[in-house]
Amino acid sequence: MELRMFPRGAAISGLMLLAFMALGSATTVAAAEPDPDRYIVSFLDVEKGKSALKAAGARVELNLAGREAAAAHIPARALKGLRNNPHIEYIEKDVLRFPMAQTTPWGIPAVQAGMVSDAEAANRTVCIIDSGYELGHEDLPRGDNVSGENNSGSGNWFEDTCFHGTHVAGTIAALANNEVGVVGVMPGGNVGLHIVKVFDGPNCAWAYSSSLVAALDECETAGANVVSMSLGGSFKSRTEERAFRNSNNAGVLSIAAAGNDGNTRKSYPASYGSVVSVAAVDSAGVVADFSQQNDQVELAGPGVAVRSTVGTGQGLEESLVVDSSVFEATGMEGSAKGTEIGPLFRCNAVDGLGSPGDCAGASGSVCLISRGDITFAEKVQECESAGGNAAVIFNNADALFSGTMGGVVTGIPSVGVSGVDGDTLGRKIGESATVTVDNGNYAYYDGTSMATPHVSGVAALVWSQDTSCTNDEIRNALAGTAIDLGPAGRDNAYGYGLVQASAAADAIKGVPGPDLQCAGGGSDVDDGGGGDGGGSCSARGETCTADSECCSGACKGKRDSKSCK
């Protein structure tokens, strides 16, 4: 069996929909209000230019003596006349700059991670089976609570050649209060992390199912409570299935990606009954088009445009500022680097989609273009050919997205924003916009691989609140408190819904009632697996050879492909 990693380069109603939409919306800087009439004036003759400012009722706020320029408050009525003054070279908006500080990816509040303390998380260990971990990353734990092992032929666990495992680790445990990067589900630096590296090379393309079984054994030996696997493959393995069943019976909670093929096929190990299968949703709470849908999907997690840690210098730092508002923006993969400033210009001379001729008149501007019909690269090329300085592409759906130039070389920076922010930007045409795309240590990834660590992190966080709970009780609590998405009840797209840390943490304590309270017993969730908190029988759907192996007492099927019914 070949294993592949799962990265990817019905809507929520009422208050939750509003909360999701707010996560992708612009935020105004909380400080003294900036002066909307402040400009930078470049002089051809400094003295005569300043005299002209004073005569027009303008007020110099800052002299830039070495630049033959000044910042000034200029009344709107005086602006046109001063721009035509023979002693003034040009007047431009004195645009705002903001500190590059720590950000909270949209998925963290979406799963209620910030509502539950991780102060006691040292009592839990999450084992990440993936491509390794960049131990020296500025935003990842590196103390005694981080350990690891190398699977055969995979290289050092503390190195990551494709950054997939490092991205996963950041979603689980990126540090808070260090003024850089992002925060994870458990940002206090307390949770134990054990890294087992099974993928190597620049593409981290595959590993054997036997390597996954060996990695699972290593996780158990290291005392892992939760095993996080952003990987999978299309074919079952009896040895692998038995290993996960035994691990579940030993008290370990295993969580894996449902798969990115966008169909109804099952992926393994996610589709074994003893493993939690995780689907991906976007920031509007809608299942991702790539997320596999089948009867083993159990929970959903944020998996579209997820920002997290990657190799140092191997990611992007991107930003979009329009007037006094900061918008969450994803740097287009393959975008040109740099910072560009200009008035925001809506390309819509043809169709608003960046088709040839659509950006006519955009010279010196930042182009605003809708997603759809043609490639991102073609949209950026249209802006560039019209003389635009940078391109902002907004989604044709509410959610944030990440895009790519597809190997096409362009000469201007380009970013993507959510459809919600696109609507807001459409009301800011003509205002000064600043687009930045530069090298960094973080990146936006898509995939059920990104959804999985949200669920794994939440599982460990909730479990840290009461370590007397069994793995099945934690699994039951996560399913029983998830936000129901799509059709009422469990469905093949979302499972039981979007995982919720605070609700599950309350549930295991008996709030609001005793139904999900931990008592050392088994799971009541009819999910086709999970065992009974230490039993030895096989769950529904697992392979078997005799009736006595099945919890149901029924082993049916053809001779070489029997399963518990």
Side-chain angles (χ1 to χ4, degrees), residues 421-445:
D421 280 353
D423 290 342
T424 302
L425 290 168
R427 298 189 291 272
K428 291 181 173 289
I429 300 303
E431 296 186 14
S432 180
T434 303
V435 175
T436 297
V437 179
D438 206 347
N439 293 324
N441 308 327
Y442 307 86
Y444 286 90
Y445 283 2

PDB file of all heavy atoms in Angstrom, residues 421-445:
ATOM      1  N   ASP A 421     -14.530  40.074   1.664  1.00  0.00           N
ATOM      2  CA  ASP A 421     -13.640  41.233   1.594  1.00  0.00           C
ATOM      3  C   ASP A 421     -13.653  41.859   0.203  1.00  0.00           C
ATOM      4  O   ASP A 421     -13.455  43.072   0.060  1.00  0.00           O
ATOM      5  CB  ASP A 421     -12.214  40.830   1.975  1.00  0.00           C
ATOM      6  CG  ASP A 421     -12.031  40.734   3.474  1.00  0.00           C
ATOM      7  OD1 ASP A 421     -12.957  41.114   4.210  1.00  0.00           O
ATOM      8  OD2 ASP A 421     -10.970  40.270   3.921  1.00  0.00           O
ATOM      9  N   GLY A 422     -13.895  41.051  -0.830  1.00  0.00           N
ATOM     10  CA  GLY A 422     -14.009  41.599  -2.172  1.00  0.00           C
ATOM     11  C   GLY A 422     -15.147  42.599  -2.266  1.00  0.00           C
ATOM     12  O   GLY A 422     -15.023  43.659  -2.899  1.00  0.00           O
ATOM     13  N   ASP A 423     -16.279  42.274  -1.621  1.00  0.00           N
ATOM     14  CA  ASP A 423     -17.408  43.208  -1.602  1.00  0.00           C
ATOM     15  C   ASP A 423     -17.028  44.506  -0.901  1.00  0.00           C
ATOM     16  O   ASP A 423     -17.376  45.598  -1.351  1.00  0.00           O
ATOM     17  CB  ASP A 423     -18.602  42.572  -0.894  1.00  0.00           C
ATOM     18  CG  ASP A 423     -19.228  41.440  -1.697  1.00  0.00           C
ATOM     19  OD1 ASP A 423     -18.978  41.367  -2.914  1.00  0.00           O
ATOM     20  OD2 ASP A 423     -19.944  40.625  -1.095  1.00  0.00           O
ATOM     21  N   THR A 424     -16.306  44.374   0.214  1.00  0.00           N
ATOM     22  CA  THR A 424     -15.876  45.566   0.953  1.00  0.00           C
ATOM     23  C   THR A 424     -14.915  46.405   0.119  1.00  0.00           C
ATOM     24  O   THR A 424     -15.033  47.636   0.044  1.00  0.00           O
ATOM     25  CB  THR A 424     -15.201  45.161   2.272  1.00  0.00           C
ATOM     26  OG1 THR A 424     -16.115  44.387   3.051  1.00  0.00           O
ATOM     27  CG2 THR A 424     -14.769  46.383   3.071  1.00  0.00           C
ATOM     28  N   LEU A 425     -13.979  45.754  -0.532  1.00  0.00           N
ATOM     29  CA  LEU A 425     -13.004  46.467  -1.359  1.00  0.00           C
ATOM     30  C   LEU A 425     -13.679  47.181  -2.528  1.00  0.00           C
ATOM     31  O   LEU A 425     -13.223  48.247  -2.964  1.00  0.00           O
ATOM     32  CB  LEU A 425     -11.944  45.493  -1.869  1.00  0.00           C
ATOM     33  CG  LEU A 425     -10.983  44.944  -0.813  1.00  0.00           C
ATOM     34  CD1 LEU A 425     -10.176  43.782  -1.370  1.00  0.00           C
ATOM     35  CD2 LEU A 425     -10.054  46.035  -0.299  1.00  0.00           C
ATOM     36  N   GLY A 426     -14.751  46.603  -3.030  1.00  0.00           N
ATOM     37  CA  GLY A 426     -15.476  47.235  -4.122  1.00  0.00           C
ATOM     38  C   GLY A 426     -16.051  48.592  -3.751  1.00  0.00           C
ATOM     39  O   GLY A 426     -16.357  49.410  -4.634  1.00  0.00           O
ATOM     40  N   ARG A 427     -16.159  48.826  -2.445  1.00  0.00           N
ATOM     41  CA  ARG A 427     -16.645  50.130  -1.972  1.00  0.00           C
ATOM     42  C   ARG A 427     -15.505  51.073  -1.622  1.00  0.00           C
ATOM     43  O   ARG A 427     -15.722  52.156  -1.082  1.00  0.00           O
ATOM     44  CB  ARG A 427     -17.563  49.931  -0.761  1.00  0.00           C
ATOM     45  CG  ARG A 427     -18.813  49.116  -1.081  1.00  0.00           C
ATOM     46  CD  ARG A 427     -19.804  49.107   0.076  1.00  0.00           C
ATOM     47  NE  ARG A 427     -19.323  48.359   1.218  1.00  0.00           N
ATOM     48  CZ  ARG A 427     -19.501  47.048   1.394  1.00  0.00           C
ATOM     49  NH1 ARG A 427     -20.121  46.338   0.458  1.00  0.00           N
ATOM     50  NH2 ARG A 427     -19.052  46.441   2.479  1.00  0.00           N
ATOM     51  N   LYS A 428     -14.277  50.650  -1.894  1.00  0.00           N
ATOM     52  CA  LYS A 428     -13.110  51.459  -1.571  1.00  0.00           C
ATOM     53  C   LYS A 428     -12.308  51.825  -2.820  1.00  0.00           C
ATOM     54  O   LYS A 428     -11.135  52.157  -2.735  1.00  0.00           O
ATOM     55  CB  LYS A 428     -12.214  50.719  -0.571  1.00  0.00           C
ATOM     56  CG  LYS A 428     -12.821  50.578   0.821  1.00  0.00           C
ATOM     57  CD  LYS A 428     -11.876  49.852   1.757  1.00  0.00           C
ATOM     58  CE  LYS A 428     -12.396  49.850   3.189  1.00  0.00           C
ATOM     59  NZ  LYS A 428     -12.316  51.182   3.808  1.00  0.00           N
ATOM     60  N   ILE A 429     -12.933  51.755  -3.975  1.00  0.00           N
ATOM     61  CA  ILE A 429     -12.243  52.080  -5.222  1.00  0.00           C
ATOM     62  C   ILE A 429     -11.734  53.520  -5.175  1.00  0.00           C
ATOM     63  O   ILE A 429     -12.438  54.445  -4.772  1.00  0.00           O
ATOM     64  CB  ILE A 429     -13.191  51.892  -6.423  1.00  0.00           C
ATOM     65  CG1 ILE A 429     -13.676  50.438  -6.487  1.00  0.00           C
ATOM     66  CG2 ILE A 429     -12.503  52.292  -7.714  1.00  0.00           C
ATOM     67  CD1 ILE A 429     -12.576  49.409  -6.561  1.00  0.00           C
ATOM     68  N   GLY A 430     -10.476  53.685  -5.565  1.00  0.00           N
ATOM     69  CA  GLY A 430      -9.841  54.992  -5.556  1.00  0.00           C
ATOM     70  C   GLY A 430      -9.021  55.270  -4.322  1.00  0.00           C
ATOM     71  O   GLY A 430      -8.181  56.187  -4.320  1.00  0.00           O
ATOM     72  N   GLU A 431      -9.238  54.496  -3.262  1.00  0.00           N
ATOM     73  CA  GLU A 431      -8.456  54.695  -2.050  1.00  0.00           C
ATOM     74  C   GLU A 431      -7.081  54.044  -2.201  1.00  0.00           C
ATOM     75  O   GLU A 431      -6.895  53.107  -2.978  1.00  0.00           O
ATOM     76  CB  GLU A 431      -9.191  54.115  -0.840  1.00  0.00           C
ATOM     77  CG  GLU A 431     -10.507  54.822  -0.550  1.00  0.00           C
ATOM     78  CD  GLU A 431     -11.154  54.341   0.731  1.00  0.00           C
ATOM     79  OE1 GLU A 431     -10.474  53.653   1.527  1.00  0.00           O
ATOM     80  OE2 GLU A 431     -12.342  54.653   0.945  1.00  0.00           O
ATOM     81  N   SER A 432      -6.121  54.548  -1.441  1.00  0.00           N
ATOM     82  CA  SER A 432      -4.753  54.060  -1.554  1.00  0.00           C
ATOM     83  C   SER A 432      -4.643  52.626  -1.036  1.00  0.00           C
ATOM     84  O   SER A 432      -5.087  52.309   0.070  1.00  0.00           O
ATOM     85  CB  SER A 432      -3.803  54.966  -0.768  1.00  0.00           C
ATOM     86  OG  SER A 432      -2.475  54.500  -0.877  1.00  0.00           O
ATOM     87  N   ALA A 433      -4.056  51.760  -1.843  1.00  0.00           N
ATOM     88  CA  ALA A 433      -3.881  50.348  -1.484  1.00  0.00           C
ATOM     89  C   ALA A 433      -2.409  49.988  -1.509  1.00  0.00           C
ATOM     90  O   ALA A 433      -1.665  50.440  -2.386  1.00  0.00           O
ATOM     91  CB  ALA A 433      -4.653  49.459  -2.455  1.00  0.00           C
ATOM     92  N   THR A 434      -1.989  49.189  -0.543  1.00  0.00           N
ATOM     93  CA  THR A 434      -0.613  48.717  -0.475  1.00  0.00           C
ATOM     94  C   THR A 434      -0.612  47.190  -0.449  1.00  0.00           C
ATOM     95  O   THR A 434      -1.240  46.576   0.416  1.00  0.00           O
ATOM     96  CB  THR A 434       0.099  49.246   0.784  1.00  0.00           C
ATOM     97  OG1 THR A 434       0.050  50.666   0.791  1.00  0.00           O
ATOM     98  CG2 THR A 434       1.551  48.792   0.815  1.00  0.00           C
ATOM     99  N   VAL A 435       0.069  46.588  -1.402  1.00  0.00           N
ATOM    100  CA  VAL A 435       0.165  45.129  -1.501  1.00  0.00           C
ATOM    101  C   VAL A 435       1.620  44.732  -1.286  1.00  0.00           C
ATOM    102  O   VAL A 435       2.522  45.267  -1.928  1.00  0.00           O
ATOM    103  CB  VAL A 435      -0.301  44.634  -2.887  1.00  0.00           C
ATOM    104  CG1 VAL A 435      -0.085  43.124  -3.014  1.00  0.00           C
ATOM    105  CG2 VAL A 435      -1.766  44.981  -3.108  1.00  0.00           C
ATOM    106  N   THR A 436       1.827  43.777  -0.376  1.00  0.00           N
ATOM    107  CA  THR A 436       3.173  43.273  -0.109  1.00  0.00           C
ATOM    108  C   THR A 436       3.189  41.757  -0.223  1.00  0.00           C
ATOM    109  O   THR A 436       2.329  41.076   0.334  1.00  0.00           O
ATOM    110  CB  THR A 436       3.648  43.672   1.302  1.00  0.00           C
ATOM    111  OG1 THR A 436       3.735  45.095   1.398  1.00  0.00           O
ATOM    112  CG2 THR A 436       5.023  43.071   1.595  1.00  0.00           C
ATOM    113  N   VAL A 437       4.148  41.247  -0.961  1.00  0.00           N
ATOM    114  CA  VAL A 437       4.427  39.807  -1.010  1.00  0.00           C
ATOM    115  C   VAL A 437       5.936  39.653  -0.896  1.00  0.00           C
ATOM    116  O   VAL A 437       6.687  40.205  -1.706  1.00  0.00           O
ATOM    117  CB  VAL A 437       3.933  39.157  -2.314  1.00  0.00           C
ATOM    118  CG1 VAL A 437       4.276  37.669  -2.321  1.00  0.00           C
ATOM    119  CG2 VAL A 437       2.434  39.350  -2.488  1.00  0.00           C
ATOM    120  N   ASP A 438       6.375  38.942   0.125  1.00  0.00           N
ATOM    121  CA  ASP A 438       7.816  38.776   0.327  1.00  0.00           C
ATOM    122  C   ASP A 438       8.090  37.391   0.889  1.00  0.00           C
ATOM    123  O   ASP A 438       7.169  36.659   1.274  1.00  0.00           O
ATOM    124  CB  ASP A 438       8.338  39.858   1.282  1.00  0.00           C
ATOM    125  CG  ASP A 438       9.815  40.170   1.057  1.00  0.00           C
ATOM    126  OD1 ASP A 438      10.485  39.395   0.340  1.00  0.00           O
ATOM    127  OD2 ASP A 438      10.299  41.181   1.595  1.00  0.00           O
ATOM    128  N   ASN A 439       9.355  37.020   0.945  1.00  0.00           N
ATOM    129  CA  ASN A 439       9.731  35.738   1.522  1.00  0.00           C
ATOM    130  C   ASN A 439       9.434  35.731   3.014  1.00  0.00           C
ATOM    131  O   ASN A 439       9.566  36.755   3.695  1.00  0.00           O
ATOM    132  CB  ASN A 439      11.210  35.460   1.287  1.00  0.00           C
ATOM    133  CG  ASN A 439      11.537  35.259  -0.173  1.00  0.00           C
ATOM    134  OD1 ASN A 439      10.748  34.691  -0.924  1.00  0.00           O
ATOM    135  ND2 ASN A 439      12.697  35.747  -0.606  1.00  0.00           N
ATOM    136  N   GLY A 440       9.043  34.584   3.530  1.00  0.00           N
ATOM    137  CA  GLY A 440       8.737  34.479   4.953  1.00  0.00           C
ATOM    138  C   GLY A 440       8.815  33.053   5.431  1.00  0.00           C
ATOM    139  O   GLY A 440       9.306  32.150   4.723  1.00  0.00           O
ATOM    140  N   ASN A 441       8.290  32.811   6.626  1.00  0.00           N
ATOM    141  CA  ASN A 441       8.400  31.513   7.294  1.00  0.00           C
ATOM    142  C   ASN A 441       7.053  30.828   7.472  1.00  0.00           C
ATOM    143  O   ASN A 441       6.938  29.881   8.252  1.00  0.00           O
ATOM    144  CB  ASN A 441       9.060  31.691   8.665  1.00  0.00           C
ATOM    145  CG  ASN A 441      10.369  32.452   8.585  1.00  0.00           C
ATOM    146  OD1 ASN A 441      11.101  32.335   7.600  1.00  0.00           O
ATOM    147  ND2 ASN A 441      10.654  33.255   9.596  1.00  0.00           N
ATOM    148  N   TYR A 442       6.048  31.323   6.742  1.00  0.00           N
ATOM    149  CA  TYR A 442       4.676  30.832   6.905  1.00  0.00           C
ATOM    150  C   TYR A 442       4.045  30.710   5.521  1.00  0.00           C
ATOM    151  O   TYR A 442       4.460  31.372   4.575  1.00  0.00           O
ATOM    152  CB  TYR A 442       3.866  31.784   7.790  1.00  0.00           C
ATOM    153  CG  TYR A 442       4.565  32.044   9.103  1.00  0.00           C
ATOM    154  CD1 TYR A 442       5.522  33.052   9.209  1.00  0.00           C
ATOM    155  CD2 TYR A 442       4.329  31.243  10.211  1.00  0.00           C
ATOM    156  CE1 TYR A 442       6.215  33.263  10.393  1.00  0.00           C
ATOM    157  CE2 TYR A 442       5.016  31.443  11.399  1.00  0.00           C
ATOM    158  CZ  TYR A 442       5.961  32.453  11.485  1.00  0.00           C
ATOM    159  OH  TYR A 442       6.653  32.644  12.651  1.00  0.00           O
ATOM    160  N   ALA A 443       3.006  29.867   5.419  1.00  0.00           N
ATOM    161  CA  ALA A 443       2.353  29.700   4.126  1.00  0.00           C
ATOM    162  C   ALA A 443       0.913  29.262   4.334  1.00  0.00           C
ATOM    163  O   ALA A 443       0.549  28.664   5.355  1.00  0.00           O
ATOM    164  CB  ALA A 443       3.096  28.673   3.278  1.00  0.00           C
ATOM    165  N   TYR A 444       0.079  29.581   3.332  1.00  0.00           N
ATOM    166  CA  TYR A 444      -1.301  29.116   3.289  1.00  0.00           C
ATOM    167  C   TYR A 444      -1.347  27.808   2.513  1.00  0.00           C
ATOM    168  O   TYR A 444      -0.904  27.742   1.367  1.00  0.00           O
ATOM    169  CB  TYR A 444      -2.188  30.147   2.592  1.00  0.00           C
ATOM    170  CG  TYR A 444      -2.480  31.380   3.405  1.00  0.00           C
ATOM    171  CD1 TYR A 444      -1.647  32.486   3.330  1.00  0.00           C
ATOM    172  CD2 TYR A 444      -3.609  31.449   4.224  1.00  0.00           C
ATOM    173  CE1 TYR A 444      -1.921  33.634   4.058  1.00  0.00           C
ATOM    174  CE2 TYR A 444      -3.886  32.593   4.954  1.00  0.00           C
ATOM    175  CZ  TYR A 444      -3.041  33.684   4.861  1.00  0.00           C
ATOM    176  OH  TYR A 444      -3.316  34.814   5.587  1.00  0.00           O
ATOM    177  N   TYR A 445      -1.893  26.765   3.143  1.00  0.00           N
ATOM    178  CA  TYR A 445      -2.070  25.481   2.475  1.00  0.00           C
ATOM    179  C   TYR A 445      -3.551  25.119   2.489  1.00  0.00           C
ATOM    180  O   TYR A 445      -4.312  25.539   3.373  1.00  0.00           O
ATOM    181  CB  TYR A 445      -1.313  24.363   3.201  1.00  0.00           C
ATOM    182  CG  TYR A 445       0.178  24.311   2.981  1.00  0.00           C
ATOM    183  CD1 TYR A 445       0.857  25.237   2.209  1.00  0.00           C
ATOM    184  CD2 TYR A 445       0.929  23.293   3.583  1.00  0.00           C
ATOM    185  CE1 TYR A 445       2.230  25.167   2.034  1.00  0.00           C
ATOM    186  CE2 TYR A 445       2.305  23.202   3.408  1.00  0.00           C
ATOM    187  CZ  TYR A 445       2.952  24.160   2.638  1.00  0.00           C
ATOM    188  OH  TYR A 445       4.320  24.080   2.468  1.00  0.00           O
TER     189      TYR A 445
END
